[in-house]
Amino acid sequence: MNGTTTLASQKVKDPSSQTIFRTAALALLFSAAPVAIGVQAQAQSQAQSQDGVTWLDTIAVVGTRTETSVQDNPASVSVVDEEQIERKSGESIAELLRDVPGVEVVDSSAPGMKRLSIRGESSRRVTILVDGQEITDHSTYGTPILVDPANVERIEVVRGPASVLHGAKAIGGVINIITKRGADKPVQAEIGGTYDSATSGWKGWAAASGTVGNFDYRFSGSLDDHGDRRVPKGQYSSTGRLDGTSFDNDNISAHLGYTFGDAGNHYIALKAEQHRLSTESWTDPSYLTYPITGFNIDLPQRDLRKVGLYYDGTDISDLVRKVHVDAYYQTVDRLFMNEVVMQPLPIMTVGVESTSDDRNVNYGGTAQVDLQFHPDHYTIVGLHYLTDNLKTAKTSTTSTRMGMAPPSVTSSSGFDDASIHTVSAFAQNEWSFAEDFKLTTGARYYYTRTEHDYSEQNSVAVPTHPSNSDGRLVTSAGLTYTGLPDTTLRALYSEGYITPTLLQLFTDSSAGRGVVTYGNPDLDAETSRNVEVGARYNAGGVVFDAAAFYTTAKDYITSISCTPGAGCPAGASAANYIYVNADEATAYGLELAAEYTIPGTAFTPYVTGAWMRRKLEFASYSTYNSNTPALSGRFGVRWEGEVANHDAWADLYVRASSGVKLTTRNGTTGLLETDSLSGYGTLNFAFGGAFGDDDKFRYGVHFNNILDKEYRSSFEEIPGVGRSVEVSLRMKF
């Protein structure tokens, strides 16, 4: 922020403690059962509280790759189901997850391109899955979540490292978005719309779905258009509108499924999707400091197209409980444009225009088999393959004018074609080794190969970097105890692993003040280790889920100045930078979700939130000022009942966060600088309901930031909306 850049140097690795953890986890995995290898478990019987089903009873797959209730999951798992999605009516998936403990929304100044941070880890370190298939994005910002919320059945979240089960980007956690299939009846039509006064924006969508015999289908489409965001007048806007915050999307998707087999236990599906986005970018006024007088980013294109195939077979035999196979092909086309104007001298004006036109092609798949060799063991084994290919064309034009003289213009261009191929094998065993105890152990081995296929500078081919390969083993072990009434106690050790992006490895980028950051093909993967304990309780109207965690991460990729010995190309200016493995991080904290239904009433007070401390360690300094709020969450009271003979609900709540600080080293002066944002709390009220046969009509009204509080959650998110209202309506026929 404010033009600052991290300064660090590489540190010596100490793998001894990690080796001990891995050895222990592997010993547990392979001694847990005579044949301890596997994937995906049979559905667990759900413990019902005396008050009925709650969110702890929800079945989730993402935590263990087995169908396990949230209550009995060894990992920190949250699920947002279809009912919650319909009530929240957010314009993006990220907004639907804002109140999950430990999750923060990140938009990096682009309001239409929201991402998620989990437990303080950058969004680049969070794996995004759609129907279990990974969306990749080889940028330094991470993967935006571009899926139509109206087409989503539920969202599953794992907080904390999960690279054993979900791929080589899951240091912070995993978001798995499960899209809808066909409706139960032969033909069902749905339409819906939302109006948001904060952006004078609207969204409309429609879908047709159904099931005919063994065949099910769903076709849907949506459009939305949002203007500049309305915010309270203050330090961020004198007019009450944020310039550069408009965006629009359109989405079309199709699902075709077929059930077959004598027992109807085989299912195949084809899913296709296209999502197109155009968004402006907001500039923090504090960034316009000497010598910068103008700064603008525009992202006119980010188009995703995907086709996926799926097969699931259940109850194949007494030994083979389930088989899953999927494959997909996906393209992401994106255009990034940056303009900077500088005036280092009164008579001198410098303008820099940079573009990056990229195409990211991903294809791969997963094969997974669930095995049950013994009543006390449920084992899964699987293989995963993924190819990421990135073609990126970059241009930079610098115009320098002295006084009234004609400008001097210099231009440069570059093109790179690179790819990463990842093959991995994973295994997990669930062992009920004693009454009320279950041990879940897993391991995954990754083999990655990076290739720099072609490169040119200023339309002239230049030598490429040699190919490189890496192998890595990650492990996990989780223990649950259910011997106390209505209670689950749990403990978990898990590891995270993320490979460098293709941009960090092979491409040179220029933006901001025109400074170049060079790629580094010698980068190592980033890794993390996590230990957590937790407890869940579900009875007597009380629902409680709490966890304490401690996570360490190392070999973080950062950029350092091109001083001698940094590894920059010959002749590189000291004002430029290069990516290196240098930074480390330690995070610890508490996460809580709890509610209590007051007996004899329809009122439920609730709270969700997190307390966290995160320390960043660089070569020359360390700091807890890591842009992470110490406290964040939501508390309120919910009412559910009946009004005028139809189901209704209301929710009065406060969303709040403590202030954040960010300490960085100024790349120009070399001095440490600390920026800070104040804490905030917003008062909000929402209500809605459903009426008609089979609840065919649903509505929701959300009054946001009723007191018109000016706030900004973090330096990675633009200022929050002011007093506004969202109105949504959906109908089924």
Side-chain angles (χ1 to χ4, degrees):
M1 290 296 157
N2 300 325
T4 56
T5 305
T6 302
L7 180 64
S9 61
Q10 294 189 355
K11 295 186 177 182
V12 177
K13 301 177 184 178
D14 180 12
S16 58
S17 59
Q18 191 167 2
T19 301
I20 294 172
F21 276 116
R22 285 179 175 166
T23 302
L26 283 172
L28 288 170
L29 172 66
F30 292 110
S31 64
V35 190
I37 306 176
V39 171
Q40 211 84 4
Q42 58 192 358
Q44 308 292 314
S45 60
Q46 299 182 49
Q48 301 284 323
S49 73
Q50 66 186 39
D51 298 291
V53 176
T54 71
W55 41 268
L56 285 183
D57 298 308
T58 305
I59 296 295
V61 176
V62 70
T64 60
R65 293 191 76 97
T66 65
E67 294 176 342
T68 304
S69 68
V70 173
Q71 170 95 15
D72 297 328
N73 210 297
S76 292
V77 173
S78 300
V79 178
V80 179
D81 61 22
E82 187 174 0
E83 179 77 15
Q84 294 171 295
I85 293 171
E86 292 180 353
R87 287 187 179 185
K88 292 184 178 181
S89 68
E91 102 278 346
S92 71
I93 297 295
E95 287 296 331
L96 298 176
L97 300 175
R98 182 180 288 275
D99 296 314
V100 173
V103 174
E104 297 289 334
V105 175
V106 175
D107 53 33
S108 300
S109 80
M113 203 175 289
K114 290 183 171 64
R115 300 168 170 88
L116 290 170
S117 166
I118 300 180
R119 291 183 175 175
E121 293 288 2
S122 75
S123 53
R124 190 178 67 81
R125 302 182 179 102
V126 174
T127 294
I128 306 298
L129 307 174
V130 177
D131 297 313
Q133 297 173 335
E134 183 178 345
I135 300 177
T136 63
D137 189 289
H138 285 269
S139 71
T140 56
Y141 298 105
T143 303
I145 307 178
L146 304 179
V147 178
D148 179 11
N151 199 40
V152 174
E153 177 183 302
R154 69 182 189 277
I155 309 166
E156 301 176 349
V157 181
V158 173
R159 308 186 302 277
S163 293
V164 168
L165 296 178
H166 295 291
K169 292 179 183 65
I171 279 186
V174 179
I175 310 292
N176 187 27
I177 302 163
I178 296 94
T179 59
K180 294 180 180 179
R181 297 182 177 183
D184 293 334
K185 53 188 178 182
V187 179
Q188 177 175 281
E190 302 170 71
I191 60 173
T194 301
Y195 172 77
D196 185 358
S197 71
T199 60
S200 299
W202 58 268
K203 175 180 179 177
W205 60 272
S209 62
T211 299
V212 180
N214 292 340
F215 174 77
D216 72 286
Y217 65 93
R218 180 179 174 86
F219 302 98
S220 66
S222 67
L223 290 170
D224 65 89
D225 189 6
H226 296 266
D228 287 338
R229 176 177 294 192
R230 181 192 177 281
V231 297
K233 293 181 181 180
Q235 62 175 316
Y236 300 114
S237 173
S238 60
T239 65
R241 289 283 179 181
L242 283 184
D243 293 334
T245 56
S246 65
F247 63 96
D248 60 81
N249 294 272
D250 65 72
N251 183 89
I252 56 174
S253 62
H255 163 88
L256 300 173
Y258 183 72
T259 301
F260 62 99
D262 293 338
N265 58 334
H266 298 272
Y267 184 76
I268 58 173
L270 168 69
K271 289 179 179 285
E273 178 186 10
Q274 173 182 278
H275 192 113
R276 299 187 300 182
L277 164 72
S278 175
T279 181
E280 293 185 299
S281 180
W282 175 72
T283 299
D284 186 343
S286 66
Y287 189 76
L288 299 178
T289 58
Y290 176 83
I292 295 179
T293 59
F295 184 89
N296 181 62
I297 290 176
D298 191 20
L299 301 105
Q301 179 190 32
R302 194 189 188 283
D303 299 344
L304 180 148
R305 296 175 178 86
K306 176 189 172 187
V307 176
L309 291 169
Y310 307 81
Y311 163 76
D312 284 284
T314 57
D315 298 326
I316 307 300
S317 68
D318 291 339
L319 173 62
V320 180
R321 307 305 301 160
K322 186 173 182 180
V323 175
H324 171 84
V325 180
D326 69 67
Y328 71 103
Y329 182 88
Q330 174 179 275
T331 62
V332 176
D333 296 292
R334 61 191 180 209
L335 178 60
F336 171 91
M337 305 171 68
N338 180 212
E339 297 178 357
V340 184
V341 178
M342 296 174 284
Q343 196 169 20
L345 298 172
I347 62 171
M348 182 180 184
T349 302
V350 180
V352 180
E353 296 183 2
S354 305
T355 67
S356 180
D357 192 354
D358 307 333
R359 164 162 272 219
N360 191 193
V361 177
N362 324 114
Y363 55 89
T366 301
Q368 173 179 314
V369 181
D370 294 28
L371 305 169
Q372 190 153 25
F373 295 96
H374 186 277
D376 295 336
H377 292 273
Y378 198 92
T379 306
I380 64 175
V381 290
L383 293 172
H384 176 71
Y385 174 78
L386 176 65
T387 285
D388 289 337
N389 175 257
L390 177 66
K391 292 180 172 67
T392 177
K394 299 181 181 297
T395 65
S396 181
T397 301
T398 302
S399 174
T400 304
R401 180 189 292 271
M402 297 294 292
M404 299 302 294
S408 172
V409 179
T410 60
S411 299
S412 64
S413 64
F415 177 82
D416 286 280
D417 184 352
S419 57
I420 294 180
H421 309 272
T422 304
V423 180
S424 60
F426 58 92
Q428 179 181 272
N429 183 70
E430 295 179 352
W431 178 23
S432 301
F433 64 92
E435 186 177 3
D436 303 319
F437 283 94
K438 179 180 287 186
L439 179 66
T440 303
T441 54
R444 187 173 190 136
Y445 181 79
Y446 291 94
Y447 174 80
T448 60
R449 182 174 180 83
T450 58
E451 297 177 350
H452 193 194
D453 300 313
Y454 181 77
S455 183
E456 66 178 42
Q457 294 293 324
N458 299 321
S459 302
V460 177
V462 297
T464 59
H465 298 286
S467 300
N468 194 15
S469 60
D470 179 48
R472 190 68 59 104
L473 178 70
V474 293
T475 59
S476 65
L479 179 67
T480 58
Y481 172 68
T482 55
L484 300 175
D486 307 302
T487 302
T488 299
L489 304 179
R490 65 183 184 87
L492 176 71
Y493 167 77
S494 60
E495 295 179 348
Y497 168 72
I498 177 172
T499 56
T501 70
L502 290 167
L503 288 174
Q504 292 170 331
L505 288 166
F506 299 126
T507 67
D508 304 335
S509 57
S510 176
R513 292 181 168 92
V515 172
V516 176
T517 301
Y518 297 102
N520 183 354
D522 297 322
L523 291 172
D524 293 326
E526 301 175 346
T527 59
S528 69
R529 289 177 290 162
N530 172 70
V531 176
E532 61 184 73
V533 294
R536 299 183 177 110
Y537 178 81
N538 183 8
V542 176
V543 186
F544 177 88
D545 186 0
F549 66 90
Y550 181 87
T551 303
T552 59
K554 65 179 183 177
D555 292 331
Y556 269 22
I557 296 172
T558 186
S559 57
I560 63 171
S561 178
C562 285
T563 54
C568 295
S573 167
N576 294 329
Y577 295 85
I578 186 171
Y579 290 113
V580 297
N581 294 100
D583 302 346
E584 298 183 2
T586 301
Y588 55 89
L590 301 171
E591 296 167 343
L592 171 68
E595 64 180 47
Y596 174 59
T597 301
I598 301 174
T601 76
F603 292 96
T604 303
Y606 67 89
V607 60
T608 65
W611 171 80
M612 185 168 66
R613 296 284 285 159
R614 181 172 172 80
K615 181 180 181 181
L616 297 178
E617 299 180 58
F618 308 105
S620 56
Y621 74 98
S622 62
T623 180
Y624 278 98
N625 299 333
S626 57
N627 196 34
T628 302
L631 288 169
S632 61
R634 166 175 170 165
F635 60 91
V637 59
R638 186 174 65 248
W639 175 88
E640 297 183 67
E642 191 173 283
V643 174
N645 296 319
H646 78 273
D647 294 334
W649 59 271
D651 193 355
L652 178 67
Y653 64 94
V654 172
R655 183 179 285 129
S657 174
S658 60
V660 300
K661 293 183 178 181
L662 178 63
T663 295
T664 53
R665 187 178 294 281
N666 188 294
T668 302
T669 66
L671 300 176
L672 294 180
E673 297 179 347
T674 299
D675 294 322
S676 61
L677 296 172
S678 300
Y680 74 92
T682 63
L683 178 65
N684 310 269
F685 177 68
F687 68 90
F691 57 93
D693 296 339
D694 298 322
D695 292 336
K696 65 169 57 176
F697 299 101
R698 289 182 179 268
Y699 66 93
V701 181
H702 295 252
F703 295 97
N704 303 313
N705 196 0
I706 294 171
L707 302 181
D708 211 27
K709 170 75 174 179
E710 183 183 43
Y711 71 97
R712 190 175 175 192
S713 300
S714 74
F715 289 102
E716 291 188 309
E717 188 173 10
I718 64 178
V721 300
R723 184 184 297 117
S724 61
V725 61
E726 291 177 85
V727 180
S728 64
L729 177 66
R730 60 178 65 216
M731 295 170 281
K732 295 181 181 180
F733 303 97

